[in-house]
Amino acid sequence: MPAAVDSSPPPSSPSSASPAAAPPGTSTSVYRHGGFLSFLTARLVAVIATQVQAVVVAWQVYDLTRQPLALAWVGLAQFLPMLVLLLPAGDLIDRVSRKPILACSWALGAVCSALLWWLSGHGHAGVNGIYAVLVLFGCSRAFSGPALQSLLPQIVPRAQLAQAVAANSMLMRGAAIGGPFVGGVLYALGGGELTYALCAVCFALGTLLLARVAVAYAAPRPQHPAPMWQRFGAGIGFIRSRPIVLGTISLDLFAVLLGGVVALLPIYAQEVLHVGPQGLGALRSAMAIGEVGAGLYLSLRPFDRHVGRTMFAAVAVFGVANLVFSLSTLFWLSFAALLVAGAADMVSVYIRGALVQFSTPDEMRGRVNAVNMLFIGSSNELGEFRAGTSAAWLGAVPAAVLGSVCTLAVVAGWMAWFRPLREVDRFEDATGG
């Protein structure tokens, strides 16, 4: 369904994220914004589907193969199509309405879940069939990721943007609390057929709910766009010319790529902590509990001082918490370490998301967010490949320890190389950086 764009005037400055202030009568609480609440509801069910599917696919693949390297292919199968499609997707998002693109992406996600359901109950392609469906799912995420990030500033006024970023991130992590745990329990009860059916329904429901989202702050699209290669070059040139943007998105790439432990959770659940699929769901939910707790606080009481230094401190805490998890053989300590890692990651996500949104003009958000999602996809999906191969070569525990130490090294390096990012005080200061 085409996005409904009203006649609200575009931002007065080309670098404005959205209108400079909320319209008269707008509540200071983003939770009273009807369009934003509709957006959150639609995204909630889609994130639940994504989280449930992620934990079930990881468990199912490892259960079928008992090979750490098989988990690496799970991440790579989703990353490669994103690598190919993200930049064209970002260019398309800057030229057409963003809401229909997001709806089509979620509809394709429903198809992927239905295919995984069929493979679980009736198919004979085994692990290779799962990998093939994950490639298709990666294609859908190449469009849904930047469309989601680019649509948000078109829904809320600039005065509520930082709060909206925190609330949006918190809700996404909130869905991640129940998603993995429910996925683990349902897989133990009904196998892949039950869980993948739930995922397909959630993706389809999110697609339908998206029609209720009102788009009120979209900037006019160019009538005569430049050739594609020039548009790509403009987006890359913008990022390279802004140390705050480049430092922000590359920090996420290398810190999580080298230090993430999520891909190793099935191995830890089975071979280190001996807690089974229910324990795996709990471990994945632990990080989400920390994230949603910090996100709820930030959505109610967002801060806007010393944001650069706070972001670096949060990533450092993330690395230390992952190191504790890597060395732990006690379930409660592992759970607590992931809880702290999740809270620190949420603070970092909040600051990174707001800095990118405040720094980027609306007409370039699709391309910038596509590069940002490429970096995030690299840190997550390619990080899963890195973790799986490292575990296959070194063992799960040495691989996790080495990755955590690398995260701390990245923090130290980026603080030295991206001084403007380290010294940025308020989000508004990032508009020109």
Side-chain angles (χ1 to χ4, degrees):
M1 178 177 178
V5 181
D6 69 12
S7 57
S8 300
S12 57
S13 167
S15 63
S16 298
S18 52
T26 299
S27 169
T28 56
S29 174
V30 75
Y31 291 109
R32 296 179 182 270
H33 193 291
F36 180 64
L37 289 179
S38 298
F39 175 81
L40 285 186
T41 304
R43 191 175 188 188
L44 173 62
V45 292
V47 172
I48 288 175
T50 302
Q51 293 293 329
V52 169
Q53 185 167 288
V55 71
V56 173
V57 164
W59 184 268
Q60 191 174 35
V61 168
Y62 190 69
D63 194 38
L64 290 171
T65 64
R66 300 292 174 170
Q67 296 178 0
L69 192 59
L71 296 175
W73 299 121
V74 168
L76 193 63
Q78 297 175 77
F79 170 72
L80 288 180
M82 293 176 64
L83 178 65
V84 174
L85 294 175
L86 266 173
L87 289 181
D91 179 64
L92 180 66
I93 289 165
D94 279 339
R95 293 188 294 111
V96 303
S97 297
R98 293 162 182 173
K99 193 168 74 169
I101 294 177
L102 181 57
C104 292
S105 301
W106 283 350
L108 182 56
V111 172
C112 292
S113 297
L115 290 172
L116 290 171
W117 167 83
W118 183 83
L119 287 173
S120 294
H122 309 284
H124 304 285
V127 177
N128 291 333
I130 294 175
Y131 291 149
V133 175
L134 292 179
V135 170
L136 185 62
F137 187 60
C139 294
S140 74
R141 292 184 61 191
F143 289 86
S144 65
L148 274 167
Q149 299 301 322
S150 302
L151 183 61
L152 179 59
Q154 295 184 346
I155 298 172
V156 298
R158 184 178 179 85
Q160 295 179 331
L161 183 56
Q163 190 181 16
V165 169
N168 179 61
S169 300
M170 180 270 297
L171 184 76
M172 183 172 65
R173 296 320 198 258
I177 292 179
F181 183 77
V182 170
V185 172
L186 291 180
Y187 184 74
L189 294 176
E193 291 183 81
L194 179 61
T195 49
Y196 292 135
L198 174 64
C199 293
V201 171
C202 286
F203 275 124
L205 182 59
T207 304
L208 295 175
L209 291 173
L210 194 62
R212 296 173 55 88
V213 176
V215 179
Y217 302 101
R221 291 185 292 274
Q223 298 298 318
H224 303 287
M228 180 178 292
W229 66 271
Q230 290 185 6
R231 298 194 301 267
F232 284 166
I236 299 299
F238 175 84
I239 294 172
R240 292 181 60 185
S241 67
R242 301 299 197 278
I244 290 177
V245 178
L246 179 60
T248 296
I249 63 180
S250 60
L251 176 65
D252 178 80
L253 167 64
F254 289 102
V256 181
L257 170 64
L258 297 174
V261 297
V262 173
L264 301 178
L265 292 184
I267 302 175
Y268 268 82
Q270 283 205 13
E271 300 178 8
V272 178
L273 303 174
H274 310 290
V275 291
Q278 294 90 339
L280 171 62
L283 289 173
R284 290 194 65 132
S285 295
M287 184 171 287
I289 293 172
E291 290 169 337
V292 76
L296 180 60
Y297 176 83
L298 291 171
S299 70
L300 296 174
R301 302 193 60 172
F303 65 88
D304 190 20
R305 294 299 307 273
H306 311 298
V307 296
R309 295 179 186 275
T310 302
M311 181 181 68
F312 280 115
V315 179
V317 171
F318 174 80
V320 171
N322 280 341
L323 182 61
V324 173
F325 170 82
S326 303
L327 297 171
S328 171
T329 57
L330 302 173
F331 178 78
W332 67 267
L333 180 59
S334 300
F335 188 93
L338 292 176
L339 194 76
V340 173
D345 186 50
M346 172 53 69
V347 175
S348 174
V349 166
Y350 163 68
I351 297 175
R352 294 198 313 265
L355 285 176
V356 171
Q357 298 287 22
F358 273 88
S359 301
T360 308
D362 188 68
E363 66 271 13
M364 197 172 286
R365 276 208 178 89
R367 283 162 287 176
V368 171
N369 281 314
V371 175
N372 190 26
M373 290 303 300
L374 179 60
F375 279 43
I376 293 174
S378 299
S379 64
N380 292 329
E381 275 67 40
L382 196 57
E384 291 181 10
F385 180 75
R386 189 280 312 166
T389 52
S390 298
W393 295 337
L394 305 175
V397 174
V401 170
L402 178 62
S404 301
V405 172
C406 288
T407 296
L408 298 176
V410 167
V411 172
W414 260 240
M415 288 186 69
W417 296 334
F418 293 94
R419 182 176 177 181
L421 176 58
R422 186 187 74 217
E423 295 182 350
V424 64
D425 184 26
R426 299 179 183 273
F427 289 121
E428 289 286 350
D429 297 340
T431 300

